[in-house]
């Protein structure tokens, strides 16, 4: 090889090494962001009740919740996500790796909720109604509605009665005593889960509205306020077929948190719980509650067929 050829080859090798070094430095610098930017997959599909006090959490009311939230809108055209992980804004929220001098440190325990209650074709139901419900027949019965794909008319509405229900900011098995599991920062509360669900539905051709209106700036009355939101959204979008109230369920105490998990193909995921309301005497104007139960059972049945262990017993 000529001297000129060797020189050009040497320059190429030097440039390649330089680019690799820059790339490696970028990866190392980004690693904390990569590990903090994980998808969350914990949600419970619930149906509107009118008495929020039944579900009120013990302790102080949520703070730091903004007085208003984004209006429900039909999503714009999908934009390809950036391939570079972006750091999430932790302002106004707990930081697992911030300074916690002098604080007590507590444990987050993993637990798998096992099948319990009445079995129905692979699903399990905890029936607190006192009614003799034919759950298996409902699973096999046809759905009372039909979803249309690839239409501009919204088919699904996702909202949150307890909009500020939040998560730990990192996947760790501990937390400090200053941790408070409610926030108006939508990167760390249940709104992020709702948006991930909405994005998945849209990707599959199901037009979805995600309404992030805040209903729990004060806890009491949050169900009544969210019912008003649903009524308004249904009037604005008469094409809606499914309405999902997504919550962050919580187990444990102030000094011990429990995260419910299952394992699939060697990977852990969050278990979900579906809550279906019951109103046999139409005391709450919920005369078609069995239609909701029909749908809830089918959700559970499909989830268990695809990912065994994913669901906790239907409530």
């Amino acid at each position: 090889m000529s001297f000129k050829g060797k020189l050009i080859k040497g320059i190429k090798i030097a440039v390649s090494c330089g680019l690799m070094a820059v790339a490696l430095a970028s990866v190392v610098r980004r690693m904390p962001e990569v590990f903090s930017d994980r998808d969350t997959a914990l949600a419970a599909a619930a149906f509107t009740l009118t008495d929020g006090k039944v579900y009120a959490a013990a302790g102080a009311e949520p703070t730091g919740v903004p007085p208003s939230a984004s209006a429900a809108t039909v999503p714009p055209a999908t934009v390809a996500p950036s391939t570079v992980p972006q750091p999430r804004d932790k302002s106004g929220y707990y930081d697992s790796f911030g300074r916690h001098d002098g604080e007590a440190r507590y444990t987050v325990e993993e637990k798998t909720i096992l099948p319990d209650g009445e079995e129905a074709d692979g699903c399990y139901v905890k029936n607190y109604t006192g009614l003799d419900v034919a759950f298996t027949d409902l699973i096999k019965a046809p759905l009372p509605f039909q979803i249309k794909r690839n239409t501009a008319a919204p088919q699904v509405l996702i909202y949150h009665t307890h909009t500020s229900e939040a998560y730990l900011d990192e996947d760790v098995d501990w937390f400090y005593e200053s941790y408070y599991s409610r926030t108006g920062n939508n990167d760390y509360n249940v709104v992020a889960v709702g948006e991930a669900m909405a994005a998945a539905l849209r990707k599959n051709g199901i037009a979805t509205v995600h309404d992030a209106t805040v209903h729990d700036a004060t806890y009491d009355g949050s169900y009544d306020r969210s019912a008003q939101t649903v009524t308004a959204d249904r009037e604005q979008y008469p094409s809606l077929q499914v309405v999902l109230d997504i919550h962050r369920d919580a187990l444990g105490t102030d000094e011990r948190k429990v995260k419910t998990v299952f394992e699939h193909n060697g990977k852990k995921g969050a278990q979900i719980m579906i809550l279906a309301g019951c109103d046999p005497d139409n005391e709450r104007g919920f005369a078609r509650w069995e239609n909701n139960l029909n749908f809830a059972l089918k959700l559970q049945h499909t989830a268990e067929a695809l990912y065994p262990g994913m669901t906790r017993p239907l409530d």
Side-chain angles (χ1 to χ4, degrees):
M1 182 182 293
S2 67
F3 174 79
K4 184 178 178 180
K6 291 180 179 179
L7 178 61
I8 293 173
K9 182 177 180 181
I11 291 173
K12 288 181 177 180
I13 293 173
V15 171
S16 298
C17 290
L19 291 174
M20 289 178 65
V22 171
L24 180 59
S26 298
V27 170
V28 171
R29 184 175 67 83
R30 290 285 188 176
M31 283 188 74
E33 299 167 6
V34 171
F35 284 108
S36 68
D37 190 20
R38 66 197 184 284
D39 291 333
T40 306
L42 174 64
F47 302 100
T48 303
L49 305 178
T50 58
D51 184 5
K53 294 181 181 179
V54 175
Y55 297 92
E61 292 187 350
T63 59
V65 181
S68 62
S70 60
T73 56
V74 178
T78 301
V79 178
S82 169
T83 57
V84 179
Q86 299 297 315
R88 293 187 296 173
D89 180 12
K90 288 187 178 180
S91 60
Y93 193 50
Y94 167 92
D95 186 348
S96 289
F97 297 104
R99 294 183 63 89
H100 294 279
D101 298 343
E103 288 190 38
R105 179 163 150 165
Y106 303 118
T107 300
V108 178
E109 175 190 342
E110 284 189 358
K111 182 177 182 179
T112 299
I113 304 297
L114 299 175
D116 188 19
E118 184 175 341
E119 193 271 341
D121 198 15
C123 296
Y124 285 83
V125 182
K126 288 189 174 181
N127 182 5
Y128 299 105
T129 67
L131 302 175
D132 184 14
V133 182
F135 296 112
T136 301
D137 291 345
L138 279 174
I139 292 174
K140 296 178 180 178
L143 272 174
F145 62 89
Q146 183 176 3
I147 292 289
K148 295 180 180 179
R149 290 177 180 267
N150 303 315
T151 174
Q155 304 293 296
V156 177
L157 167 66
I158 294 173
Y159 74 104
H160 313 277
T161 293
H162 300 148
T163 322
S164 67
E165 290 179 332
Y167 302 84
L168 277 169
D169 60 333
E170 307 287 348
D171 187 13
V172 292
D173 58 4
W174 43 264
F175 65 100
Y176 289 99
E177 60 184 318
S178 61
Y179 175 61
Y180 181 54
S181 61
R182 311 190 79 83
T183 182
N185 185 333
N186 288 350
D187 279 345
Y188 296 97
N189 63 23
V190 72
V191 173
V193 176
E195 188 53 38
M197 294 177 64
L201 289 168
R202 293 165 189 157
K203 183 178 179 180
N204 284 276
I206 300 174
T208 301
V209 173
H210 181 205
D211 192 329
T213 299
V214 175
H215 303 109
D216 59 348
T218 56
Y219 211 87
D220 286 352
S222 54
Y223 276 95
D224 292 322
R225 289 187 289 275
S226 69
Q228 293 170 5
T229 292
V230 171
T231 299
D233 285 339
R234 291 183 65 192
E235 289 175 354
Q236 184 175 357
Y237 306 110
S239 57
L240 289 171
Q241 300 297 309
V242 173
V243 177
L244 299 174
D245 184 4
I246 306 301
H247 291 248
R248 184 270 296 129
D249 198 13
L251 295 175
T253 66
D254 289 341
E255 298 181 0
R256 173 181 164 271
K257 306 295 183 186
V258 176
K259 57 180 178 181
T260 59
V261 301
F262 75 107
E263 190 168 310
H264 180 73
N265 288 343
K267 295 182 178 181
K268 291 179 181 178
Q271 288 184 301
I272 65 171
M273 184 187 75
I274 302 173
L275 172 65
C278 174
D279 188 18
D281 299 321
N282 199 24
E283 295 177 354
R284 297 180 180 272
F286 193 19
R288 299 171 65 188
W289 63 271
E290 284 187 287
N291 287 347
N292 274 14
L293 180 58
N294 175 318
F295 179 45
L297 286 164
K298 285 178 171 58
L299 280 177
Q300 177 140 350
H301 190 264
T302 302
E304 283 298 312
L306 293 171
Y307 307 105
M310 180 180 181
T311 64
R312 296 162 53 181
L314 189 148
D315 202 339

